[in-house]
């Protein structure tokens, strides 16, 4: 049974998705502005975020917000806040690549208790609630059971113009490449985490992420029986660095990254 809170999140995501679906079909005509080196923001981003904020506020008027575009909005309820990325994978979106998602996490006193990740193009809806499991549409999710890096496909983020330490990443990648079955870079952190939860990917690592990028995905991985931590074993929401996978893959991945 879907809880009332999760129902609110799903309905908000589906409503915001309509503007993304429409604009994606006319992506060449989008008016795109720059918000820093290689960090694009579109009018579609902003519209989707406004819709999410409006819909979630109607249902839970006292909750606060942390949003990629509009920033932090304090709520009367000091415990709950929404962490929202209206388009995770904006660069994919504006290049016509159908791999992006709406990500909504709900935090209570510093703990993520519900998450929704929705790809409006594939219609893949990932949902999770703390203690109640993770799902893709109506199917229960479990992380992959592979235990050895040599059998594993690992996703990552790659530093690019103005973002990240290219030398450090190069060392980490050089250390991992000969030891894994494959490395993938898809460009949407929320979906990378959702795919770990779904067993499509065996592991994932990336640095320098915002909490709205990963909040919902962290819960999905954990509710699917996996682990999502930062590279030192702490809270990825605090550091912005993340490792995800089952116990064995996460530890093997950490060992290689630390050694690099």
């Amino acid at each position: 049974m879907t809880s009332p809170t999760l129902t609110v999140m799903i309905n908000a995501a589906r409503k915001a998705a309509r503007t993304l679906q429409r604009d994606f079909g006319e992506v060449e005509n989008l008016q795109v502005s720059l918000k820093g080196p290689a960090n694009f923001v579109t009018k579609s981003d902003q519209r989707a975020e406004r819709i999410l904020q409006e819909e979630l506020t109607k249902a839970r008027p006292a909750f606060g917000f942390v949003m990629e575009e509009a920033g932090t909005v304090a709520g009367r309820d000091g415990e709950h806040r929404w962490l929202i990325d209206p388009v995770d994978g904006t660069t994919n979106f504006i290049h016509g690549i159908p791999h992006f998602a709406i990500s909504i996490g709900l935090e209570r006193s510093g703990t993520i208790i519900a998450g929704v990740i929705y790809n409006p193009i594939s219609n893949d809806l990932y949902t999770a609630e703390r203690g109640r499991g993770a799902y893709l549409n109506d199917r229960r999710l479990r992380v992959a059971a592979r235990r050895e890096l040599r059998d594993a496909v690992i996703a990552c983020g790659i530093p690019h113009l103005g973002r990240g330490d290219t030398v450090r990443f190069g060392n980490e990648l050089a250390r991992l490449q000969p030891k894994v079955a494959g490395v993938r870079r898809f460009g949407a952190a929320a979906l990378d985490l959702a795919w770990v939860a779904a067993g499509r990917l065996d592991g994932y690592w990336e640095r320098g992420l915002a909490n709205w990028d990963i909040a919902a995905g962290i819960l999905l991985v954990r509710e699917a029986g996996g682990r999502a931590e930062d590279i030192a074993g702490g809270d990825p929401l605090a550091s912005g660095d993340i490792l995800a996978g089952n116990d064995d893959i996460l530890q093997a991945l950490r060992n290689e990254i630390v050694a690099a």
Side-chain angles (χ1 to χ4, degrees), residues 5-21:
T5 296
L6 198 58
T7 298
V8 165
M9 297 168 72
I10 292 168
N11 290 343
R14 290 195 183 278
K15 185 168 183 178
R18 294 174 199 151
T19 188
L20 301 180
Q21 291 163 337

Side-chain angles (χ1 to χ4, degrees), residues 122-181:
S122 68
N123 203 33
D124 283 345
L125 177 68
Y126 299 89
T127 60
E129 288 186 277
R130 193 162 186 250
R132 300 185 67 177
Y135 294 83
L136 168 54
N137 300 325
D138 295 322
R139 178 171 64 85
R140 183 74 179 260
L141 298 181
R142 294 293 298 176
V143 293
R146 298 177 190 88
R147 302 297 175 192
E148 303 290 338
L149 281 181
R150 65 173 178 263
D151 301 318
V153 173
I154 306 296
C156 64
I158 297 177
H160 52 277
L161 179 64
R163 295 186 64 180
D165 185 333
T166 56
V167 173
R168 179 172 60 185
F169 173 78
N171 292 336
E172 293 169 354
L173 185 61
R175 177 94 186 183
L176 276 165
Q177 272 183 302
K179 300 181 180 181
V180 298

Side-chain angles (χ1 to χ4, degrees), residues 27-216:
V27 70
E28 295 84 1
N29 299 322
L30 286 178
Q31 298 181 56
V32 179
S33 60
L34 282 176
K35 193 180 63 175
N39 188 3
F40 300 103
V41 58
T42 67
K43 291 185 181 297
S44 192
D45 259 325
Q46 296 160 346
R47 278 196 300 271
E49 187 173 270
R50 282 196 301 272
I51 291 167
L52 292 169
Q53 186 179 7
E54 289 165 3
E55 292 300 307
L56 295 171
T57 298
K58 284 178 191 174
R60 301 290 186 271
F63 289 10
F65 287 86
V66 179
M67 298 174 283
E68 182 179 18
E69 306 302 339
T72 299
V73 177
R76 298 192 309 277
D77 180 323
E79 292 187 339
H80 294 87
R81 62 179 189 171
W82 306 105
L83 289 80
I84 293 175
D85 191 344
V87 184
D88 182 62
T90 306
T91 302
N92 285 348
F93 178 81
I94 66 172
H95 282 80
I97 300 170
H99 190 78
F100 59 90
I102 294 168
S103 180
I104 309 170
L106 176 59
E107 182 184 75
R108 182 174 65 206
S109 301
T111 298
I112 304 302
I113 60 169
V116 167
I117 296 172
Y118 181 50
N119 181 334
I121 307 305
S122 68
N123 203 33
D124 283 345
L125 177 68
Y126 299 89
T127 60
E129 288 186 277
R130 193 162 186 250
R132 300 185 67 177
Y135 294 83
L136 168 54
N137 300 325
D138 295 322
R139 178 171 64 85
R140 183 74 179 260
L141 298 181
R142 294 293 298 176
V143 293
R146 298 177 190 88
R147 302 297 175 192
E148 303 290 338
L149 281 181
R150 65 173 178 263
D151 301 318
V153 173
I154 306 296
C156 64
I158 297 177
H160 52 277
L161 179 64
R163 295 186 64 180
D165 185 333
T166 56
V167 173
R168 179 172 60 185
F169 173 78
N171 292 336
E172 293 169 354
L173 185 61
R175 177 94 186 183
L176 276 165
Q177 272 183 302
K179 300 181 180 181
V180 298
V183 178
R184 304 287 185 267
R185 203 285 192 188
F186 294 108
L191 288 173
D192 286 334
L193 288 164
W195 283 18
V196 171
R200 296 176 177 178
L201 296 168
D202 300 289
Y204 165 60
W205 98 97
E206 190 165 354
R207 297 180 185 269
L209 294 163
N211 54 13
W212 52 74
D213 293 320
I214 56 178

Side-chain angles (χ1 to χ4, degrees), residues 193 217-219 221-222 226-230 234-236 242-245 250:
L193 288 164
I218 287 169
L219 184 64
V221 170
R222 291 173 178 169
R227 289 166 60 189
E229 304 169 358
D230 76 3
D235 181 7
I242 191 161
L243 295 173
L250 182 139

